[in-house]
Amino acid sequence: MAGVGEAARVLTSRKDPQQYLRLKPRDALVFIKTCYYEIHPAYFDNKHLYKQIKCDSSLVNLGRTSYHHQTDFTSMSSKETLFRCIAGVVLVDGKSRRPKALSDDFRQTVGQKMKTIEIPRMEKLSVPQKCMKVELIANWRDCDEYKHVNQGSYLGFCQSAAEQLAWAGSLHGYESNAVKVIQALHLSESSAGDRMLVSVWKQDSKFCFDITNNTTQKPTYQAIFCPKPTIVNKL
């Protein structure tokens, strides 16, 4: 799901080359700071396997250095909503990685068409002393064109850690197909070969994740998997 969402974001961002050039100067990068996913029941229905899906994308919530990219995925045959992905995109300097102001050209053209929607905000998690831990190594297949681990891969790390612990009987109540909402916060970059430590704990009905890059000793990614939906209004 996360991989499809990221692929749709990239493809729709570059569908209009002029729009993409207005957004991303040669000395800049786009950094995915946050992700919000709504997973609908139809997503888990096997009747949708190997069937075409429709991706409707729009840019919303224009800021000085950022915006949100929303994509809704629906079944072409049944018209049912499968899932929604909303990525918080920040323009950063290619060398310093510091936020960079969106160009006036982008704001006056693409930005003029953007609407504003409310998206649940995720605050940085405090990792408890007592939590379960799983070690993973990032591979080349986890990386994007910039040779950094893709944000969708981090969600895969979280799911893999939760399923390993659930199968071992250490994480009670976790089922991947019961997750309805995912919120994620991207904190720093990782590369292929880096050793990742995934901390997992349960908070009420939510499953919480913190990924630390043990190679760079930097906090890297956090996520919350929630079994209860928090629906964002569709545009």
Coordinates of all heavy atoms in Angstrom, one line a residue, residues 36-113:
Y36 N 0.0 10.2 6.2 CA -1.3 9.8 6.8 C -2.0 8.9 5.9 O -2.2 9.2 4.7 CB -2.1 11.1 7.1 CG -3.5 10.8 7.7 CD1 -3.6 10.6 9.1 CD2 -4.6 10.6 6.9 CE1 -4.9 10.4 9.6 CE2 -5.8 10.4 7.4 CZ -6.0 10.2 8.8 OH -7.2 10.0 9.3
Y37 N -2.4 7.7 6.4 CA -3.1 6.7 5.5 C -4.4 6.4 6.2 O -4.5 6.2 7.4 CB -2.3 5.4 5.4 CG -0.9 5.6 4.7 CD1 0.2 5.9 5.5 CD2 -0.8 5.4 3.4 CE1 1.4 6.0 4.9 CE2 0.4 5.5 2.8 CZ 1.5 5.8 3.5 OH 2.8 5.9 2.9
E38 N -5.5 6.3 5.3 CA -6.8 5.8 5.7 C -7.0 4.5 4.9 O -6.9 4.5 3.7 CB -7.9 6.7 5.4 CG -8.0 7.9 6.3 CD -9.0 8.9 5.8 OE1 -9.7 8.6 4.9 OE2 -9.1 10.0 6.4
I39 N -7.2 3.4 5.6 CA -7.3 2.1 4.9 C -8.8 1.6 5.1 O -9.3 1.4 6.2 CB -6.4 1.0 5.5 CG1 -5.0 1.6 5.6 CG2 -6.4 -0.2 4.7 CD1 -4.0 0.8 6.4
H40 N -9.5 1.5 4.0 CA -10.9 1.1 4.0 C -11.1 -0.4 3.9 O -10.2 -1.1 3.4 CB -11.6 1.8 2.8 CG -11.7 3.3 3.0 ND1 -12.9 4.0 3.2 CD2 -10.7 4.3 3.0 CE1 -12.6 5.3 3.3 NE2 -11.3 5.5 3.2
P41 N -12.2 -0.9 4.4 CA -12.4 -2.4 4.4 C -12.2 -3.0 3.1 O -11.8 -4.2 3.0 CB -13.9 -2.5 4.9 CG -14.1 -1.3 5.8 CD -13.3 -0.2 5.1
A42 N -12.6 -2.3 2.0 CA -12.5 -2.9 0.7 C -11.1 -3.3 0.3 O -10.9 -4.1 -0.6 CB -13.2 -2.0 -0.4
Y43 N -10.1 -2.6 0.9 CA -8.7 -2.8 0.6 C -8.3 -4.3 0.8 O -7.5 -4.9 0.1 CB -7.8 -1.9 1.4 CG -6.4 -2.1 1.2 CD1 -5.7 -1.7 0.0 CD2 -5.6 -2.8 2.1 CE1 -4.3 -1.9 -0.2 CE2 -4.2 -3.0 2.0 CZ -3.6 -2.5 0.8 OH -2.3 -2.7 0.7
F44 N -9.0 -4.9 1.8 CA -8.6 -6.3 2.2 C -9.5 -7.3 1.5 O -9.3 -8.5 1.8 CB -8.7 -6.4 3.7 CG -7.9 -5.5 4.5 CD1 -8.4 -4.4 5.1 CD2 -6.5 -5.8 4.6 CE1 -7.6 -3.5 5.8 CE2 -5.7 -4.9 5.3 CZ -6.2 -3.8 5.9
D45 N -10.3 -6.9 0.6 CA -11.2 -7.9 -0.1 C -10.4 -8.4 -1.3 O -10.0 -7.7 -2.2 CB -12.5 -7.1 -0.6 CG -13.5 -8.1 -1.1 OD1 -13.2 -9.2 -1.6 OD2 -14.7 -7.8 -0.9
N46 N -10.3 -9.7 -1.4 CA -9.5 -10.4 -2.5 C -10.1 -10.2 -3.9 O -9.4 -10.4 -4.9 CB -9.4 -11.9 -2.2 CG -8.5 -12.2 -1.0 OD1 -7.6 -11.4 -0.7 ND2 -8.7 -13.4 -0.4
K47 N -11.3 -9.7 -4.0 CA -11.9 -9.5 -5.3 C -11.2 -8.4 -6.0 O -11.4 -8.3 -7.3 CB -13.4 -9.2 -5.2 CG -13.7 -7.9 -4.6 CD -15.3 -7.6 -4.5 CE -15.6 -6.3 -4.0 NZ -17.1 -6.1 -3.9
H48 N -10.4 -7.6 -5.3 CA -9.8 -6.4 -6.0 C -8.3 -6.8 -6.4 O -7.7 -6.0 -7.1 CB -9.7 -5.3 -5.0 CG -11.0 -4.7 -4.6 ND1 -11.9 -4.2 -5.5 CD2 -11.6 -4.7 -3.4 CE1 -13.0 -3.8 -4.8 NE2 -12.9 -4.1 -3.5
L49 N -7.9 -8.0 -6.1 CA -6.6 -8.4 -6.6 C -6.5 -8.5 -8.1 O -7.4 -8.9 -8.8 CB -6.3 -9.8 -6.0 CG -6.0 -9.9 -4.5 CD1 -5.8 -11.4 -4.1 CD2 -4.7 -9.1 -4.1
Y50 N -5.4 -8.0 -8.6 CA -5.1 -8.0 -10.1 C -6.1 -7.2 -10.9 O -6.3 -7.4 -12.1 CB -5.0 -9.4 -10.6 CG -4.2 -10.3 -9.7 CD1 -4.7 -11.4 -9.0 CD2 -2.8 -10.1 -9.6 CE1 -3.9 -12.2 -8.2 CE2 -2.0 -10.9 -8.8 CZ -2.6 -11.9 -8.1 OH -1.8 -12.7 -7.3
K51 N -6.8 -6.3 -10.2 CA -7.8 -5.4 -10.9 C -7.3 -4.0 -10.9 O -6.5 -3.6 -10.1 CB -9.2 -5.4 -10.2 CG -9.8 -6.8 -10.0 CD -10.3 -7.3 -11.4 CE -10.9 -8.7 -11.2 NZ -12.1 -8.8 -10.4
Q52 N -7.8 -3.2 -11.9 CA -7.3 -1.9 -12.1 C -7.9 -1.0 -11.0 O -9.0 -1.2 -10.5 CB -7.8 -1.3 -13.4 CG -7.0 -1.9 -14.6 CD -7.4 -1.2 -15.9 OE1 -8.6 -0.9 -16.1 NE2 -6.5 -1.0 -16.8
I53 N -7.0 0.0 -10.5 CA -7.5 1.0 -9.6 C -7.3 2.4 -10.1 O -6.4 2.6 -11.0 CB -6.7 0.8 -8.2 CG1 -5.2 1.0 -8.4 CG2 -7.0 -0.5 -7.6 CD1 -4.4 1.1 -7.1
K54 N -8.0 3.3 -9.6 CA -7.9 4.7 -10.1 C -7.3 5.5 -9.0 O -7.7 5.4 -7.8 CB -9.3 5.2 -10.4 CG -9.4 6.7 -10.9 CD -10.8 7.1 -11.2 CE -10.8 8.6 -11.6 NZ -12.2 9.0 -11.8
C55 N -6.4 6.4 -9.4 CA -5.7 7.3 -8.4 C -6.1 8.7 -8.7 O -5.8 9.2 -9.8 CB -4.2 7.1 -8.5 SG -3.6 5.4 -8.4
D56 N -6.7 9.4 -7.8 CA -7.1 10.8 -7.9 C -6.2 11.6 -7.0 O -6.3 11.4 -5.7 CB -8.5 11.0 -7.5 CG -9.5 10.4 -8.6 OD1 -9.2 10.6 -9.8 OD2 -10.5 9.8 -8.2
S57 N -5.3 12.4 -7.5 CA -4.4 13.2 -6.7 C -4.7 14.7 -6.7 O -5.2 15.2 -7.7 CB -2.9 13.0 -7.2 OG -2.5 11.7 -6.8
S58 N -4.4 15.3 -5.6 CA -4.5 16.8 -5.6 C -3.5 17.3 -4.6 O -3.1 16.6 -3.6 CB -5.9 17.2 -5.2 OG -6.3 16.6 -3.9
L59 N -3.0 18.6 -4.8 CA -2.2 19.2 -3.8 C -3.0 20.2 -3.0 O -3.8 20.9 -3.5 CB -1.1 20.0 -4.6 CG -0.2 19.3 -5.6 CD1 0.9 20.2 -6.1 CD2 0.4 18.0 -5.0
V60 N -2.8 20.1 -1.6 CA -3.5 20.9 -0.7 C -2.6 21.5 0.3 O -1.4 21.2 0.4 CB -4.6 20.1 0.0 CG1 -5.6 19.5 -1.0 CG2 -4.0 18.9 0.8
N61 N -3.2 22.4 1.1 CA -2.5 23.0 2.3 C -1.2 23.7 2.0 O -0.1 23.2 2.5 CB -2.3 21.9 3.4 CG -3.6 21.4 3.9 OD1 -4.7 21.9 3.6 ND2 -3.5 20.3 4.7
L62 N -1.2 24.7 1.1 CA 0.0 25.4 0.8 C 0.6 26.1 1.9 O 0.0 26.9 2.7 CB -0.3 26.4 -0.4 CG 0.9 27.2 -0.9 CD1 1.9 26.4 -1.6 CD2 0.3 28.4 -1.8
G63 N 1.9 25.9 2.2 CA 2.7 26.6 3.2 C 3.9 27.3 2.6 O 4.0 27.4 1.3
R64 N 4.7 27.9 3.4 CA 5.9 28.7 2.8 C 6.9 27.7 2.2 O 7.4 28.0 1.1 CB 6.5 29.5 4.0 CG 7.6 30.5 3.4 CD 8.2 31.2 4.6 NE 9.1 30.4 5.3 CZ 10.4 30.2 4.9 NH1 10.9 30.7 3.9 NH2 11.2 29.4 5.7
T65 N 7.1 26.6 2.8 CA 8.1 25.6 2.3 C 7.5 24.2 2.0 O 8.2 23.3 1.7 CB 9.3 25.4 3.3 OG1 8.7 24.8 4.6 CG2 9.9 26.7 3.7
S66 N 6.2 24.1 2.2 CA 5.6 22.8 2.2 C 4.2 22.8 1.7 O 3.5 23.8 1.5 CB 5.6 22.2 3.6 OG 4.7 23.0 4.5
Y67 N 3.6 21.6 1.4 CA 2.2 21.4 1.1 C 1.9 19.9 1.3 O 2.8 19.1 1.7 CB 2.0 21.7 -0.4 CG 2.8 20.9 -1.4 CD1 2.3 19.7 -1.9 CD2 4.1 21.3 -1.8 CE1 3.1 18.9 -2.7 CE2 4.8 20.5 -2.7 CZ 4.3 19.3 -3.1 OH 5.1 18.6 -4.0
H68 N 0.7 19.5 1.2 CA 0.3 18.1 1.3 C -0.1 17.6 -0.1 O -0.8 18.3 -0.9 CB -0.8 17.9 2.3 CG -0.4 18.0 3.7 ND1 -0.5 19.2 4.4 CD2 0.1 17.1 4.5 CE1 0.0 19.0 5.6 NE2 0.3 17.7 5.7
H69 N 0.3 16.3 -0.4 CA -0.1 15.7 -1.6 C -1.1 14.5 -1.2 O -0.7 13.5 -0.6 CB 1.1 15.1 -2.3 CG 0.9 14.6 -3.7 ND1 1.7 14.9 -4.7 CD2 -0.1 13.8 -4.2 CE1 1.2 14.3 -5.8 NE2 0.1 13.7 -5.5
Q70 N -2.4 14.7 -1.6 CA -3.4 13.7 -1.3 C -3.7 12.9 -2.5 O -3.9 13.4 -3.6 CB -4.7 14.4 -0.8 CG -5.8 13.5 -0.6 CD -7.0 14.2 0.0 OE1 -6.9 14.9 1.0 NE2 -8.2 14.0 -0.6
T71 N -3.8 11.6 -2.3 CA -4.2 10.6 -3.3 C -5.2 9.7 -2.8 O -5.0 9.0 -1.8 CB -3.0 9.8 -3.9 OG1 -1.9 10.7 -4.2 CG2 -3.4 9.0 -5.1
D72 N -6.4 9.6 -3.5 CA -7.4 8.6 -3.2 C -7.4 7.5 -4.2 O -7.3 7.7 -5.4 CB -8.8 9.3 -3.2 CG -9.0 10.3 -2.1 OD1 -8.7 9.9 -1.0 OD2 -9.4 11.4 -2.4
F73 N -7.5 6.2 -3.7 CA -7.4 5.1 -4.6 C -8.7 4.3 -4.5 O -9.2 4.0 -3.4 CB -6.3 4.1 -4.0 CG -4.9 4.7 -4.1 CD1 -4.5 5.5 -3.1 CD2 -4.1 4.4 -5.2 CE1 -3.2 6.1 -3.2 CE2 -2.8 5.0 -5.2 CZ -2.4 5.8 -4.2
T74 N -9.3 4.2 -5.7 CA -10.6 3.5 -5.8 C -10.6 2.4 -6.8 O -9.8 2.4 -7.8 CB -11.7 4.5 -6.2 OG1 -11.4 5.1 -7.4 CG2 -11.9 5.6 -5.1
S75 N -11.4 1.4 -6.6 CA -11.6 0.3 -7.5 C -12.2 0.7 -8.8 O -13.3 1.4 -8.8 CB -12.3 -0.9 -6.9 OG -12.7 -1.8 -7.9
M76 N -11.7 0.4 -10.0 CA -12.3 0.8 -11.3 C -13.6 0.0 -11.5 O -14.5 0.5 -12.1 CB -11.3 0.6 -12.4 CG -10.1 1.5 -12.4 SD -10.5 3.1 -12.9 CE -10.7 2.9 -14.7
S77 N -13.6 -1.2 -11.0 CA -14.8 -2.0 -11.3 C -16.0 -1.8 -10.3 O -17.1 -1.6 -10.7 CB -14.4 -3.5 -11.3 OG -13.8 -3.8 -10.0
S78 N -15.7 -1.7 -9.0 CA -16.7 -1.6 -8.0 C -16.9 -0.1 -7.6 O -17.9 0.2 -6.9 CB -16.4 -2.5 -6.8 OG -15.3 -2.0 -6.1
K79 N -16.0 0.7 -7.9 CA -16.0 2.2 -7.4 C -15.8 2.3 -5.9 O -16.0 3.4 -5.4 CB -17.3 2.9 -7.9 CG -17.7 2.7 -9.3 CD -16.6 3.2 -10.3 CE -17.0 3.0 -11.7 NZ -16.0 3.3 -12.7
E80 N -15.4 1.3 -5.2 CA -15.2 1.3 -3.8 C -13.9 2.0 -3.5 O -12.9 1.8 -4.2 CB -15.2 -0.1 -3.2 CG -16.6 -0.8 -3.2 CD -16.4 -2.2 -2.7 OE1 -16.0 -3.1 -3.6 OE2 -16.7 -2.4 -1.6
T81 N -13.9 2.8 -2.4 CA -12.6 3.4 -2.0 C -11.8 2.4 -1.3 O -12.3 1.6 -0.4 CB -12.9 4.6 -1.0 OG1 -13.7 5.6 -1.6 CG2 -11.6 5.2 -0.5
L82 N -10.5 2.3 -1.7 CA -9.6 1.3 -1.1 C -8.8 1.9 0.0 O -8.7 1.4 1.1 CB -8.7 0.7 -2.2 CG -9.5 0.0 -3.4 CD1 -8.5 -0.5 -4.4 CD2 -10.4 -1.1 -2.9
F83 N -8.1 3.0 -0.3 CA -7.3 3.7 0.7 C -7.0 5.1 0.2 O -7.1 5.4 -0.9 CB -6.1 2.9 1.1 CG -5.0 2.8 0.1 CD1 -3.9 3.7 0.1 CD2 -5.0 1.8 -0.8 CE1 -2.9 3.6 -0.9 CE2 -4.0 1.6 -1.8 CZ -3.0 2.5 -1.8
R84 N -6.5 5.9 1.2 CA -6.1 7.3 0.9 C -4.7 7.5 1.5 O -4.4 7.0 2.6 CB -7.1 8.2 1.5 CG -6.7 9.7 1.5 CD -7.7 10.6 2.1 NE -9.0 10.5 1.3 CZ -10.1 11.0 1.7 NH1 -10.2 11.6 2.8 NH2 -11.2 10.9 0.9
C85 N -3.9 8.2 0.8 CA -2.6 8.6 1.3 C -2.4 10.1 1.2 O -2.7 10.7 0.2 CB -1.5 7.9 0.4 SG 0.2 8.4 0.8
I86 N -2.0 10.7 2.3 CA -1.7 12.1 2.3 C -0.3 12.3 2.8 O 0.0 12.0 4.0 CB -2.7 12.9 3.2 CG1 -4.1 12.6 2.9 CG2 -2.4 14.4 3.2 CD1 -5.2 13.2 3.8
A87 N 0.6 12.8 1.9 CA 2.0 13.0 2.3 C 2.3 14.5 2.5 O 1.9 15.3 1.7 CB 2.9 12.5 1.1
G88 N 3.0 14.7 3.6 CA 3.4 16.1 3.9 C 4.8 16.3 3.2 O 5.8 15.7 3.6
V89 N 4.8 17.2 2.2 CA 6.0 17.4 1.4 C 6.7 18.7 1.7 O 6.0 19.7 1.8 CB 5.6 17.4 -0.1 CG1 6.9 17.5 -1.0 CG2 4.9 16.1 -0.5
V90 N 8.0 18.6 2.0 CA 8.8 19.8 2.3 C 9.9 20.0 1.2 O 10.6 19.0 0.9 CB 9.4 19.8 3.7 CG1 10.2 21.0 4.0 CG2 8.3 19.5 4.7
L91 N 10.0 21.2 0.7 CA 11.1 21.5 -0.2 C 12.4 21.8 0.6 O 12.3 22.6 1.5 CB 10.8 22.6 -1.1 CG 11.8 22.9 -2.2 CD1 11.7 21.8 -3.3 CD2 11.5 24.3 -2.9
V92 N 13.5 21.1 0.4 CA 14.7 21.3 1.1 C 15.9 21.6 0.2 O 15.9 21.2 -1.0 CB 15.0 20.1 2.1 CG1 13.9 19.9 3.0 CG2 15.3 18.9 1.2
D93 N 16.9 22.3 0.7 CA 18.1 22.5 0.0 C 18.8 21.2 -0.2 O 18.9 20.3 0.7 CB 19.0 23.4 0.8 CG 20.3 23.8 0.0 OD1 20.3 24.8 -0.7 OD2 21.3 23.1 0.2
G94 N 19.4 21.0 -1.4 CA 20.0 19.7 -1.8 C 21.2 19.3 -0.9 O 21.5 18.2 -0.8
K95 N 21.9 20.3 -0.4 CA 23.1 20.1 0.4 C 22.9 20.2 1.9 O 23.2 19.3 2.6 CB 24.2 21.1 0.0 CG 24.7 20.9 -1.5 CD 25.8 21.9 -1.8 CE 26.3 21.6 -3.2 NZ 27.4 22.6 -3.6
S96 N 22.3 21.2 2.3 CA 22.1 21.4 3.8 C 20.9 20.7 4.3 O 20.8 20.4 5.5 CB 21.9 22.9 4.1 OG 20.7 23.4 3.6
R97 N 19.9 20.3 3.5 CA 18.7 19.6 3.9 C 17.8 20.5 4.7 O 16.9 20.1 5.3 CB 19.0 18.3 4.6 CG 19.7 17.3 3.8 CD 18.9 16.8 2.6 NE 19.4 15.6 2.0 CZ 20.2 15.5 1.0 NH1 20.7 16.6 0.5 NH2 20.6 14.3 0.6
R98 N 18.0 21.8 4.7 CA 17.2 22.8 5.4 C 16.0 23.2 4.5 O 16.2 23.3 3.3 CB 18.0 24.0 5.8 CG 19.0 23.7 6.9 CD 19.7 24.9 7.4 NE 20.7 24.6 8.5 CZ 21.5 25.5 9.1 NH1 21.4 26.8 8.7 NH2 22.3 25.1 10.0
P99 N 14.8 23.5 5.1 CA 13.7 23.9 4.4 C 14.0 25.1 3.5 O 14.7 26.0 3.8 CB 12.6 24.2 5.4 CG 13.0 23.4 6.6 CD 14.5 23.3 6.6
K100 N 13.4 25.0 2.3 CA 13.7 26.0 1.3 C 12.3 26.6 0.8 O 11.4 25.8 0.6 CB 14.4 25.4 0.1 CG 14.9 26.3 -1.0 CD 15.6 25.5 -2.1 CE 16.0 26.4 -3.2 NZ 17.2 27.3 -2.9
A101 N 12.2 27.9 0.7 CA 10.9 28.5 0.3 C 10.4 28.0 -1.1 O 11.3 27.9 -2.0 CB 11.0 30.0 0.4
L102 N 9.2 27.7 -1.2 CA 8.6 27.4 -2.5 C 8.7 28.6 -3.4 O 8.5 29.8 -2.9 CB 7.1 27.0 -2.4 CG 6.9 25.7 -1.6 CD1 5.4 25.5 -1.3 CD2 7.4 24.5 -2.4
S103 N 8.9 28.4 -4.7 CA 9.1 29.6 -5.6 C 7.8 30.4 -5.8 O 6.7 29.9 -5.6 CB 9.6 29.1 -6.9 OG 8.6 28.4 -7.6
D104 N 8.0 31.7 -6.0 CA 6.8 32.5 -6.3 C 6.0 32.0 -7.5 O 4.8 32.1 -7.6 CB 7.3 34.0 -6.6 CG 7.8 34.6 -5.3 OD1 7.4 34.2 -4.2 OD2 8.5 35.6 -5.4
D105 N 6.8 31.5 -8.5 CA 6.1 30.9 -9.7 C 5.2 29.8 -9.3 O 4.1 29.7 -9.8 CB 7.2 30.5 -10.7 CG 6.6 30.1 -12.0 OD1 5.5 30.4 -12.3 OD2 7.3 29.4 -12.8
F106 N 5.7 28.9 -8.5 CA 4.9 27.7 -8.0 C 3.7 28.2 -7.2 O 2.5 27.8 -7.4 CB 5.7 26.8 -7.2 CG 5.0 25.6 -6.6 CD1 4.8 24.5 -7.4 CD2 4.4 25.6 -5.4 CE1 4.1 23.4 -7.0 CE2 3.8 24.5 -4.9 CZ 3.6 23.4 -5.7
R107 N 3.9 29.2 -6.3 CA 2.8 29.7 -5.5 C 1.7 30.4 -6.3 O 0.5 30.3 -6.0 CB 3.4 30.6 -4.4 CG 4.4 30.0 -3.5 CD 4.9 31.0 -2.5 NE 3.9 31.4 -1.6 CZ 3.6 30.7 -0.5 NH1 4.3 29.6 -0.1 NH2 2.7 31.1 0.3
Q108 N 2.1 31.1 -7.3 CA 1.2 31.9 -8.1 C 0.5 31.1 -9.2 O -0.5 31.6 -9.7 CB 1.9 33.1 -8.7 CG 2.4 34.1 -7.7 CD 3.4 35.1 -8.3 OE1 3.6 35.2 -9.5 NE2 4.0 35.9 -7.4
T109 N 1.0 29.9 -9.5 CA 0.3 29.1 -10.5 C -0.4 27.9 -9.8 O -1.6 27.9 -9.6 CB 1.3 28.6 -11.5 OG1 2.4 28.0 -10.9 CG2 1.8 29.8 -12.3
V110 N 0.4 26.9 -9.4 CA -0.2 25.7 -8.8 C -0.8 26.1 -7.4 O -1.9 25.6 -7.1 CB 0.9 24.7 -8.6 CG1 0.4 23.4 -7.9 CG2 1.6 24.3 -9.9
G111 N -0.1 26.9 -6.6 CA -0.6 27.3 -5.3 C -1.9 27.9 -5.3 O -2.7 27.8 -4.3
Q112 N -2.3 28.7 -6.3 CA -3.5 29.4 -6.3 C -4.7 28.4 -6.4 O -5.9 28.8 -6.0 CB -3.6 30.3 -7.6 CG -2.7 31.5 -7.5 CD -3.0 32.4 -6.3 OE1 -4.2 32.7 -6.1 NE2 -2.0 32.9 -5.6
K113 N -4.5 27.2 -6.8 CA -5.6 26.2 -7.0 C -5.7 25.3 -5.7 O -6.7 24.5 -5.7 CB -5.3 25.3 -8.2 CG -5.2 26.1 -9.5 CD -4.8 25.2 -10.6 CE -4.5 25.9 -11.9 NZ -4.0 25.0 -13.0

